[in-house]
Amino acid sequence: MLLKRSLLSTKLLFCAAILCTSATSAATITDTDKAQLDQLKNTVLVSDDSYNIIESLTTEVGARMVGTSAEKQSVEWAVAKMKSLGFDKVWVEPVATKLWQRGDLTIKLTSPYPHPLVGLALGGSIGTNGKELNAQVIQFDDLEALKAAKEGSLEGKIAFISYRMERHIDGHGYGQAVGARAAGAAVAAQKGAIAYVMRSVGTDTNRIAHTGGMRYQDGVEKIPAIAISNPDADLLMNQLKRGQPVEMSLNLSAKPNDKAQVRSYNVIGDLTGSEKPNEYVTLGAHLDSWDVGTGAIDDGIGVGMMLSTVHHLAQLPKRPKRTVRVILFAAEEIGLFGARAYAHQHKGDMSQHVIGAEWDFGNGAIYKLTPGVGPSALNSIREFANILAPMGVALDENNDAKGQSDMSALGKEGMPAINFDPDGSDYFDYHHTENDTLDKVDQQALRKNTAIYTMFTYFAAQADVDFRQ
Ligand code: ZN
Ligand code: ZN
């Protein structure tokens, strides 16, 4: 996931949703719709549809990194699954993306004693051209400290950032840590380093590494970029504390190829509305994953929840008024390629996208919703929040949501958004690791979260509200 969160704001204002409703505003949720929302809640809370979809994706396709045959297969899987679940229109739209091959990595300490380390190349990293690099490790507390190093001071050295991500319920420790993953290699190269190694962006204490996207800078030499496991980073720190030079060797056969254009696809499905077919309540998740796990939580859960939501709505005796559109985005992990392609291709009909919600944050139970709608529409959101309140979901009245993950690209084009925030305390134990597998899915939270998305989608498709106003 890419976090674009309003949660970093220190002036969060929660309110007991029931107290926030203006007594003078007209109700926008009819009694019939309230009864329908209640029935949907009761149905989805005991349904295993989301889990079964995630099980199908992770078992029949598995990992689906951009450019692999499994990614192509995931597109076919998604088209077939959407059709079987009751979408009445399903199609794909092409996305031009970049190819990167992970290759093999050997990374080890060579001094003070030989010891193998556990690491993963960061997505986009170059390799070592068949050579083994061996050099002294120079440690920095964080990206800012690396930036402050003198030009040329890392000539022939390996730069190492030891910053450890903090665990928080809203996952904001990720935002504080991820800059070193994205930009660390370019900054290290500017100072003369021959390779860049960082402590994984993750909250676990397992001997596994967390991959994730990085980028080089034009005009700056490209050097290999690698994340090592938290316990290995701890070992390195303890050795460095002793004041003896620490040396490391690495050999990496990763292959980026910026020139090769790889074609991927956004997979899109509609449940056509009964009264306003040209207005889209838009739901998103990303179909691609990293290669090391099976992408169950990132973002198989999102795929499962969005498809299951439409499956439940498709079984109602009458279709909701507005069209419900699910977009399974391509190539999110390497930089929102699918989302940007969709926003570009749909510039002309973006005004018909009435509101959007994404899911790309694992599956702790949802405890908060944050809208990003026009001031008049906020009353209607308050009414809906009152219905969710007994499920332990609070309304964040800041009303400043911009759209999570892929949806941020549509938010930039003016689409109103709603963000649902789960307990993300353990999400970054598994994120982008070999441990992102089906067994990590919390089925009880998944049922609750799917119920909330299904209820939101029905509400948004039925409400006679312009969420931009
Ligand atoms: Zn994700
Ligand atoms: Zn991710």
Side-chain angles (χ1 to χ4, degrees), residues 105 107 116-120 200 207-209 226-230 232 434:
L105 169 68
I107 180 165
L117 300 174
V118 175
L120 279 174
S200 284
R207 207 151 173 242
I208 53 170
I226 291 157
I228 58 172
S229 77
N230 268 315
D232 285 330
E434 62 192 57

Side-chain angles (χ1 to χ4, degrees), residues 1-2 286 297-299 332-333 360-361 405 427 431-432:
M1 72 178 294
L2 294 177
H286 65 86
I297 61 166
D298 186 15
D299 187 18
E332 187 272 352
E333 294 291 9
D360 189 16
F361 197 10
S405 203
Y427 180 64
H431 183 247
H432 296 180

